[in-house]
Amino acid sequence: MPDTCLDVDFCRSFFPPLSSGEVYFENAGGSYAPRQVIDALDAYMRECQCQPGWQFASSRSARERLDRAQALMAEAINADCDEIVIGPSTTLNVYVLAHALAPLLAPGSEIVVTNQDHEANGGAWRRLADSGVKVREWRIDARSGDLDLGQLDELLSERTRLVCFPHVSNIVGSVNDVRAITAKAHAVGAMVCIDGVATVAHQLPDVKALDADFYLFSVYKMYGPHLGVMYAKREHIEVADNQNHFFHEGNVPEMLHPGGLSYESTASMAGIVDYFESLYTHHFGAEDNDLRTRLHKVYGLFQKHEASLMVRVLDYLSGRPDIRLIGRDTSDPSMRAATFSVTVAGRDPADIASRLADQGICVGHGHFYGYRCVDALGIDPAQGVLRFSMVHYNTLDEVEKLVVALDAIA
Ligand SMILES: Cc1ncc(COP(=O)(O)O)c(C=O)c1O
């Protein structure tokens, strides 16, 4: 049977902004949303923008849409429905989680944080030092930007209660070996809190297979609305400090979810899975009954396509010694995501970004809240890096445009 390739034109046809002619490489900042997401949001607001869960028809419909969206997202990442919390953002979800776990961390207990993380999975944990928790930093190699597993061994002890790290770094682009890190943490009795925000456009996590205690990601980096999803093992939610109203004490997962949520955005999350399903049917027909199998096949196509884009980027960069590539020089999607940060000798990333913008090429620059990471790489965070990031709907032609434009500017 011939190897199936991603039909990129078919994918692109679902994303209204992609017809504008702009070349969009700021996907690590936020990916575009397909029609299925936009339509679900629109339909929710038109048809059932009311308090969900009452007996009247529009309220029942609202509840059904919310339940469906939550169930689909939970199944997609192999979580149970009551193990996921949907909040406004990953930053806020980590903040709430840190408050919920704080009473469980006796003074003298230790947590490990990295300087590879976005500040979302660092700041809230580092602040626990104020209540007597010892915070130990797992530092990247200043040249490669990678985290060394051997160094983690030196930081872990029977006092370690939690290890926080990114699945993929939003600056370095490296894919960390989640299973290996988690196994080490679990071996000393510590939990892990994994930031999957920079992962989910490229890889679909299986939180059970990863044995994650906490796994968080932002839905707007996964072709959806501005929301954060937090997976937490039920056993951890049960003993966490209730962050909700007093009468929610003991309610899983409401204890980790203070306040209401954006119902319309939550309902629209279902559109992400519906989009993936359209891709599955287009490429594979109706072979598999299992949702996760179908989604993993779709992501498999994404990865193969993204690898081909990465090959071209890396090939170009290998011929430009004045451009420093941050992170691994590999197009293997199990090792790096198509998120490239670079510095150009003697050039301001903001200036390059604005010249690229003049040519309709959308990229970002700065430290992207990975301040500590950029700093540790020996780069002034005030300038930061130039970052371009590709996902499955980007084309080789677009990469070619970037390469030509960058070459002329740099
Ligand atoms: C790797 C990573 N983690 C966390 C965040 C923060 O996510 P949110 O905006 O949902 O708080 C971002 C946002 O850019 C990110 O790239």
Side-chain angles (χ1 to χ4, degrees), residues 28-30 88-93 117-121 166 168-171 195-199 216-221 226-228 368-369 387:
S89 68
T90 294
T91 305
L92 209 62
N93 282 344
D117 269 286
H118 183 287
E119 196 62 15
N121 196 30
V168 172
S169 158
N170 66 326
I171 299 289
D195 178 345
V197 176
T199 314
L216 300 97
F217 60 93
S218 308
V219 188
Y220 68 96
K221 317 264 191 185
H226 280 85
L227 289 176
F368 302 97
Y369 292 15
R387 188 179 72 180

Side-chain angles (χ1 to χ4, degrees), residues 28-259:
S31 54
Y32 284 147
R35 271 201 322 262
Q36 289 86 339
V37 169
I38 300 165
D39 290 349
L41 183 95
D42 181 80
Y44 188 94
M45 295 194 81
R46 281 176 195 280
E47 295 158 19
C48 50
Q49 178 76 338
C50 56
Q51 187 65 17
W54 299 124
Q55 291 86 343
F56 53 91
S58 54
S59 183
R60 274 207 319 269
S61 174
R63 182 77 271 154
E64 279 161 17
R65 293 178 208 206
L66 292 166
D67 287 349
R68 176 170 181 264
Q70 191 145 348
L72 283 175
M73 188 51 86
E75 194 178 347
I77 63 168
N78 198 13
D80 291 335
C81 249
D82 61 355
E83 293 177 312
I84 65 167
V85 170
I86 296 164
S89 68
T90 294
T91 305
L92 209 62
N93 282 344
V94 176
Y95 188 85
V96 171
L97 182 62
H99 278 73
L101 297 186
L104 310 179
L105 302 171
S109 55
E110 297 184 359
I111 62 177
V112 175
V113 296
T114 79
N115 63 353
Q116 196 189 54
D117 269 286
H118 183 287
E119 196 62 15
N121 196 30
W125 300 119
R126 287 170 194 264
R127 277 184 213 157
L128 294 179
D130 298 342
S131 49
V133 173
K134 183 159 184 200
V135 179
R136 311 198 68 183
E137 192 178 65
W138 184 15
R139 297 202 178 119
I140 56 169
D141 177 86
R143 180 71 219 159
S144 69
D146 275 339
L147 290 164
D148 175 44
L149 270 173
Q151 281 187 14
L152 178 61
D153 290 330
E154 291 163 26
L155 297 170
L156 293 174
S157 75
E158 71 287 349
R159 291 182 301 280
T160 316
R161 304 290 298 116
L162 180 70
V163 178
C164 309
F165 64 96
H167 190 165
V168 172
S169 158
N170 66 326
I171 299 289
V172 181
S174 301
V175 180
N176 288 315
D177 188 344
V178 172
R179 276 183 233 223
I181 299 169
T182 301
K184 281 180 186 289
H186 286 171
V188 297
M191 301 174 286
V192 291
C193 178
I194 304 160
D195 178 345
V197 176
T199 314
V200 286
H202 315 282
Q203 264 189 48
L204 190 62
D206 179 329
V207 293
K208 296 262 158 70
L210 294 173
D211 202 12
D213 297 286
F214 306 103
Y215 192 102
L216 300 97
F217 60 93
S218 308
V219 188
Y220 68 96
K221 317 264 191 185
M222 193 199 195
Y223 319 110
H226 280 85
L227 289 176
V229 169
M230 170 165 66
Y231 160 79
K233 272 187 186 162
R234 190 182 292 105
E235 69 204 66
H236 299 321
I237 308 178
E238 280 166 358
V239 296
D241 192 49
N242 178 25
Q243 299 299 301
N244 207 334
H245 305 306
F246 72 90
F247 43 80
H248 280 301
E249 182 69 50
N251 289 353
V252 174
E254 287 80 3
M255 292 207 302
L256 290 185
H257 186 224

